[in-house]
Amino acid sequence: MPKVTFKGNPVTLVGPELKVGDAAPDFSVVDNALAPVTLATYAGKVKIISAVPSLDTPVCDTETRRFNQEAASLPGEVVVLTVSLDLPFAQKRWCGAAGIDKVVTLSDYRDRSFGTKYGVLIDELKLLSRSIFVLDRNNSIRYIQHVPEVTQEPDYAAVIAEAKKLL
């Protein structure tokens, strides 16, 4: 499993350790209107999936705003999804206040299906670890970035470069 810390303290990630080349596990989350969302919702698209602990924290706020800016320059066949355990109502409120219009926020609050199937649920905190998965149009995992310290930002350039390779 990836070594991940939160404020310097090691944490335990629940679920499998996925590898590049693996088929992306399907999951069931909900959008801001409580509608179910699975991988099939974005069939045929390149997917950047950003898992974050909570949109209401400074680093997650910064990360999601940055991906929103990056998404504006990506073609329509790329979708940027941000998954957290925040309630859909909180995600919708946050997106409205932050002017997020390119990133799709999704909530894993119901059964933590994304967190446990992607191996990013932090056992001690019951939050998602800061991780990014880039999936090709066939839902094969082509890139994974587990940010070693949850309170730090990811390498945005690497993520965008990997997604662009799939176009």
Side-chain angles (χ1 to χ4, degrees):
M1 292 300 285
K3 291 189 188 328
V4 174
T5 58
F6 179 75
K7 296 184 178 178
N9 298 308
V11 295
T12 307
L13 299 181
V14 176
E17 182 177 359
L18 300 176
K19 305 272 190 223
V20 170
D22 287 350
D26 201 3
F27 54 83
S28 180
V29 294
V30 294
D31 67 14
N32 292 175
L34 297 175
V37 173
T38 66
L39 280 177
T41 305
Y42 300 100
K45 293 195 179 273
V46 171
K47 291 160 277 300
I48 297 172
I49 306 174
S50 169
V52 300
S54 175
L55 293 171
D56 282 318
T57 60
V59 178
C60 299
D61 178 291
T62 299
E63 177 178 336
T64 306
R65 288 174 190 263
R66 173 71 182 271
F67 275 126
N68 194 64
Q69 291 172 342
E70 297 286 352
S73 67
L74 293 170
E77 60 262 31
V78 178
V79 63
V80 181
L81 310 173
T82 294
V83 180
S84 74
L85 291 172
D86 294 309
L87 292 175
F89 316 109
Q91 290 181 338
K92 183 176 182 179
R93 173 195 45 77
W94 182 88
C95 287
I100 301 301
D101 58 353
K102 302 287 186 233
V103 168
V104 178
T105 56
L106 300 169
S107 177
D108 197 20
Y109 86 97
R110 281 194 178 156
D111 60 11
R112 294 171 172 83
S113 119
F114 178 85
T116 55
K117 290 183 178 185
Y118 282 70
V120 297
L121 180 67
I122 299 172
D123 192 36
E124 295 84 352
L125 302 173
K126 302 303 184 246
L127 295 171
L128 301 182
S129 176
R130 189 173 316 284
S131 303
I132 301 167
F133 299 85
V134 177
L135 313 182
D136 67 17
R137 297 170 199 272
N138 299 313
N139 294 330
S140 177
I141 300 172
R142 302 299 293 272
Y143 177 80
I144 300 172
Q145 184 182 138
H146 293 287
V147 180
E149 168 54 51
V150 174
T151 61
Q152 295 178 348
E153 292 178 61
D155 180 347
Y156 303 104
V159 173
I160 298 303
E162 289 298 324
K164 285 181 176 178
K165 286 182 189 176
L166 301 175
L167 298 175

